[in-house]
Amino acid sequence: MARNFDELSRILGDSAESLLSHTCKTIDKSQLHLPGGDFVDRVLAHSDRNNQTLRSLEAMYNHGRLAGTGYLSILPVDQGIEHSAGASFAKNPLHFDPANIVELAIEGGCNAVCSTLGGLGIVSRKYAHKIPFMVKINHNELLTYPNKADEVMFGQVKQAWNMGAVAIGATIYFGSELATRQIQEVSAAFSAAHELGMATVLWCYLRNNDFKKDKDYHLSADLTGQANHLGVTIQADIIKQKLPENNGGFKALNTGGSSYGKLDERIYTELTSDHPIDLTRYQVANCYMGRAGLINSGGASGDNDLQEAVMTAVVNKRAGGSGLISGRKAFQRPISEGAEILQAIQDVYLCDKITIA
């Protein structure tokens, strides 16, 4: 049974009042293309996506506990490559076996499961018809010495299609030295995926050591918002982005005689405020005002996973986002506990009293 508004408020604790009563006075909700059960027909059917791609998107939007709501809850487990398998799975070694990753997504009521080409391929005949598959086709591996940040292709679009996947996922490290090549590679992969009728999901992450100054501007609303805008430009159907924690990245990188990008002061005075919902709404706005759904990352596992997961879901939903893609908070614990975290996230999107700010 889904948690009600009062239960979710109690989980939020001291932040409940600020998050649940906030009214956005920056970008008005009337300007957004909001999630809903008719989202594919109302928004995406007007695009150049072919019928098979629309069918793949419907398959994700109409699976799991959030089926028919226009919201997405996706379990992503590619950390075995991105963060090393030992570091990712030591807390729960069951997830060295990809079957348990898929079982967690099913038990957790997710719309889809996302993992590596090899991980999903090794169990595809058992599960591809039971839950929508999303194949992550590029990764940053951590075995090259010294470690470097570079997303490289590990799989081909046709391989994902052959195993029955409805979508592919990819990451671009915007701001990195190798971003131009990654943009070109992922753009070509997304074009191929759309031709075959698969949906496309892009991790729009920032990566540059110079972005860390007085704050970690990898999490600034202005820079992540622009990364989102680059992502929808190569026709990502869904954007994955980290929840913004600050703002002013463009300003910070234009100090000390350096020149970086272009900005308008109204980004900070009219289009955003310091409130996390307003910062996230700016991310949504950069996704063509919600025509491409924004799903925020659930973040790392810590001491208050349930509260943090519910908080992130509330911010995303009230900002106009389309859901959460949460991995480590779920898979780094026993399956029953991980499923509870996933279902708590979904309860936020199922709660009619938690509305767009």
Side-chain angles (χ1 to χ4, degrees):
M1 183 178 294
R3 295 168 178 82
N4 60 34
F5 180 82
D6 291 336
E7 291 171 313
L8 293 168
S9 298
R10 283 195 292 271
I11 292 172
L12 289 172
D14 293 341
S15 64
E17 176 65 22
S18 172
L19 295 180
L20 296 172
S21 65
H22 177 72
T23 299
C24 184
K25 297 179 180 178
T26 54
I27 298 169
D28 192 82
K29 63 185 178 182
S30 64
Q31 300 177 35
L32 302 178
H33 301 275
L34 295 173
D38 62 344
F39 185 75
V40 173
D41 286 336
R42 174 167 44 90
V43 178
L44 295 174
H46 296 283
S47 72
D48 62 355
R49 276 58 163 180
N50 62 34
N51 289 344
Q52 292 181 345
T53 299
L54 296 178
R55 182 172 60 189
S56 293
L57 285 160
E58 284 279 16
M60 286 198 294
Y61 278 111
N62 286 295
H63 188 87
R65 293 181 75 228
L66 296 184
T69 65
Y71 292 106
L72 296 166
S73 169
I74 299 172
L75 175 70
V77 186
D78 61 345
Q79 288 86 349
I81 307 299
E82 299 279 350
H83 301 159
S84 88
S88 299
F89 302 142
K91 291 182 180 179
N92 187 1
L94 285 175
H95 288 117
F96 277 106
D97 184 345
N100 290 319
I101 294 170
V102 182
E103 288 287 349
L104 173 59
I106 292 172
E107 185 170 336
C110 292
N111 299 72
V113 60
C114 176
S115 194
T116 64
L117 173 71
L120 292 178
I122 202 73
V123 295
S124 63
R125 290 187 184 275
K126 183 175 182 179
Y127 291 110
H129 59 294
K130 295 181 180 179
I131 184 172
F133 273 16
M134 181 193 306
V135 177
K136 184 71 161 41
I137 62 170
N138 71 352
H139 304 285
N140 177 43
E141 54 85 16
L142 289 180
L143 204 55
T144 300
Y145 186 86
N147 287 162
K148 61 180 180 179
D150 184 19
E151 292 283 334
V152 297
M153 291 292 173
F154 272 59
Q156 300 176 32
V157 174
K158 192 68 175 290
Q159 291 174 296
W161 183 79
N162 280 335
M163 77 167 69
V166 303
I168 64 167
T171 298
I172 294 175
Y173 283 152
F174 291 107
S176 71
E177 292 182 1
L178 300 168
T180 299
R181 192 207 76 236
Q182 294 168 17
I183 291 169
Q184 293 168 337
E185 289 177 349
V186 174
S187 178
F190 280 8
S191 176
H194 279 154
E195 286 184 12
L196 290 171
M198 290 188 289
T200 57
V201 183
L202 185 63
W203 280 236
C204 289
Y205 285 174
L206 301 173
R207 186 60 63 90
N208 192 312
N209 288 334
D210 289 335
F211 288 1
K212 296 181 179 180
K213 292 183 177 292
D214 58 313
K215 301 175 183 177
D216 185 356
Y217 290 107
H218 292 94
L219 303 174
S220 71
D222 55 351
L223 295 184
T224 56
Q226 181 61 21
N228 291 357
H229 201 66
L230 295 176
V232 294
T233 300
I234 61 172
Q235 294 202 319
D237 299 316
I238 297 165
I239 295 292
K240 178 189 176 186
Q241 184 57 267
K242 297 178 180 179
L243 205 68
E245 296 182 4
N246 57 67
N247 209 354
F250 277 115
K251 287 184 175 183
L253 293 167
N254 270 285
T255 59
S258 66
S259 176
Y260 177 74
K262 292 183 180 294
L263 63 89
D264 187 308
E265 281 295 329
R266 285 169 289 195
I267 295 172
Y268 313 104
T269 60
E270 298 179 18
L271 301 182
T272 61
S273 77
D274 292 335
H275 197 283
I277 291 174
D278 294 344
L279 295 174
T280 306
R281 178 153 298 179
Y282 186 72
Q283 291 184 339
V284 174
N286 277 279
C287 298
Y288 296 148
M289 285 293 192
R291 287 184 184 270
L294 171 71
I295 53 177
N296 285 117
S297 170
S301 180
D303 296 330
N304 300 298
D305 283 350
L306 179 62
Q307 183 182 58
E308 290 176 3
V310 169
M311 182 206 73
T312 304
V314 168
V315 170
N316 173 272
K317 183 180 183 182
R318 302 209 68 222
S322 295
L324 245 60
I325 182 163
S326 185
R328 281 172 286 172
K329 282 181 169 57
F331 74 76
Q332 290 184 334
R333 59 183 70 238
I335 287 181
S336 60
E337 293 180 16
E340 182 182 4
I341 295 285
L342 294 170
Q343 290 167 10
I345 290 168
Q346 296 153 16
D347 291 343
V348 171
Y349 296 98
L350 292 169
C351 182
D352 292 336
K353 288 187 177 182
I354 298 178
T355 57
I356 307 300

